[in-house]
Amino acid sequence: MSQTPLPYRPHNHRACVDQALADAHRICNDAKARLTPTRERVLELIWQSHKPLGAYDLLGALAQDGHNAAPPTVYRALDFLQQHGLVHRIASLNAFVGCAHAGHRHTGFFLICRACRNVLELSAPHVAEAVDQAAQDEGFAAEDTTLEIAGLCPACQQEGGHE
Amino acid sequence: MSQTPLPYRPHNHRACVDQALADAHRICNDAKARLTPTRERVLELIWQSHKPLGAYDLLGALAQDGHNAAPPTVYRALDFLQQHGLVHRIASLNAFVGCAHAGHRHTGFFLICRACRNVLELSAPHVAEAVDQAAQDEGFAAEDTTLEIAGLCPACQQEGGHE
DNA sequence: TCAATGGATGAAACATTATAACATCGCATT
DNA sequence: AATGCGATGTTATAATGTTTCATCCATTGA
Ligand SMILES: [Zn+2]
Ligand SMILES: [Zn+2]
Ligand SMILES: [Zn+2]
Ligand SMILES: [Zn+2]
């Protein structure tokens, strides 16, 4: 159950990506939304990295494909993917990661390693509740929570990630 | 005790700003850091607004002063103010606010009204603890937490902030 | 079949936010 | 006076994100 989280350990990454794409197809289908080739490719690129990618990283990767895209192409794909809960934007990095819980209601919550730059998405509901409660105590109607934690992942603490 | 938080209600704002500046002088003095005129002016501008200001807003305000500053001037002042805990950067807005708890150890935590754009900084320690605990449960060494909540403040919920 | 509709993309320009690099200034110490 | 060093000035550029308008293309409905 409580084994090392996925991004931190080796795994069959092709299968991991394929699974994410299959899920995405299902989710979009259910929502009657169109997961077009560009959108799918952007999602695939994001999943392949398991690390946050900037919009211009994606733009570069598309260029490698021979797809001569301009910024709006990528930003539009990202908007779509975010709206359907398939990717998240990490505000503190200006970058995007695949959602680890696509299809399930959740308030994401990110552990960002400053050494290896892997990101782990948690969905600890009690944290979300504590946050919502604190907002409510101030009479504030919370709509969107950004919770991003920078630090060192278990692996990088070993190998002298200490500066 | 639990009255309306400061930014949400009228108050003697000149005194509020003066207090913040006086605190800043004391804090910098204690740290043997120099709160130079530019740095002080930037801090004053930030406090005057009680709302997040972008670096280029500040640049514009300095220009009004007749100070013909370039971007690095403002970013350097902001870096200094952040390092001494006098302002915070709001990652989800690319903007800066005065720290409401300057001088005290705290993990900031922001309620950002999407209607009036006021920001309230809380320092709810139990939320910070819940977050740190969740990170520790994953073996993650948390160093810096970004927690920003967008929504509607009490005042704006009244006046049809509902879209 | 064909025109109309509306979502999706292409393309160019532009806006905003942030940093790099190097010169200079001014004050404190010696 | 010479030196050192933090702070500032200046120019250029990088990185991130948006606006606008034109065009394409799949679906629909006549
Ligand atoms: Zn998610
Ligand atoms: Zn790591
Ligand atoms: Zn603070
Ligand atoms: Zn408000």
Side-chain angles (χ1 to χ4, degrees), chain A residues 15-32:
Chain A
C16 166
V17 173
D18 287 345
Q19 181 64 53
L21 292 179
D23 289 348
H25 276 288
R26 181 178 44 71
I27 289 166
C28 287
N29 234 337
D30 291 354
K32 303 204 191 319

Side-chain angles (χ1 to χ4, degrees), chain A residues 16 33 43 55-56 61 70 74-75 91 96 102 115 119 125 127 132 140 160:
Chain A
C16 166
L43 181 58
Y56 282 76
V74 161
Y75 283 103
F96 302 82
V119 170
V127 171
D132 284 351
F140 190 93

Side-chain angles (χ1 to χ4, degrees), chain B residues 64-137:
Chain B
Q64 299 267 335
D65 288 358
H67 182 163
N68 191 8
T73 297
V74 161
Y75 282 103
R76 288 195 279 229
L78 289 169
D79 283 349
F80 174 89
L81 295 170
Q82 283 179 89
Q83 266 160 22
H84 292 84
L86 299 171
V87 308
H88 295 289
R89 180 170 191 275
I90 309 290
S92 58
L93 299 177
N94 297 332
F96 302 82
V97 289
C99 174
H101 312 95
H104 308 91
R105 296 208 112 234
H106 66 287
T107 299
F109 169 179
F110 304 94
L111 302 181
I112 305 165
C113 179
R114 67 168 160 80
C116 66
R117 308 191 61 76
N118 272 316
V119 170
L120 173 63
E121 177 179 357
L122 301 180
S123 108
H126 63 284
V127 171
E129 275 164 33
V131 168
D132 285 350
Q133 186 57 56
Q136 271 195 14
D137 290 349

Side-chain angles (χ1 to χ4, degrees), chain A residues 23-55:
Chain A
D23 289 348
H25 276 288
R26 181 178 44 71
I27 289 166
C28 287
N29 234 337
D30 291 354
K32 303 204 191 319
R34 297 175 49 197
L35 189 58
T36 61
T38 302
R39 291 166 175 174
E40 180 177 12
R41 181 63 178 137
V42 167
L43 181 58
E44 183 180 24
L45 287 166
I46 287 175
W47 266 102
Q48 278 179 351
S49 95
H50 257 318
K51 304 188 185 185
L53 285 184

Side-chain angles (χ1 to χ4, degrees), chain A residues 88 99-101 106 121:
Chain A
H88 295 289
C99 173
H101 312 96
H106 67 286
E121 176 178 357

Side-chain angles (χ1 to χ4, degrees), chain B residues 2-23:
Chain B
S2 141
Q3 57 180 334
T4 308
L6 193 55
Y8 298 163
R9 66 166 200 276
H11 57 280
N12 182 339
H13 195 46
R14 184 68 244 169
C16 164
V17 173
D18 287 346
Q19 180 64 55
L21 292 179
D23 289 348

Side-chain angles (χ1 to χ4, degrees), chain B residues 53-68:
Chain B
L53 285 184
Y56 283 76
D57 295 334
L58 290 164
L59 210 46
L62 288 178
Q64 299 267 335
D65 288 358
H67 182 163
N68 191 8

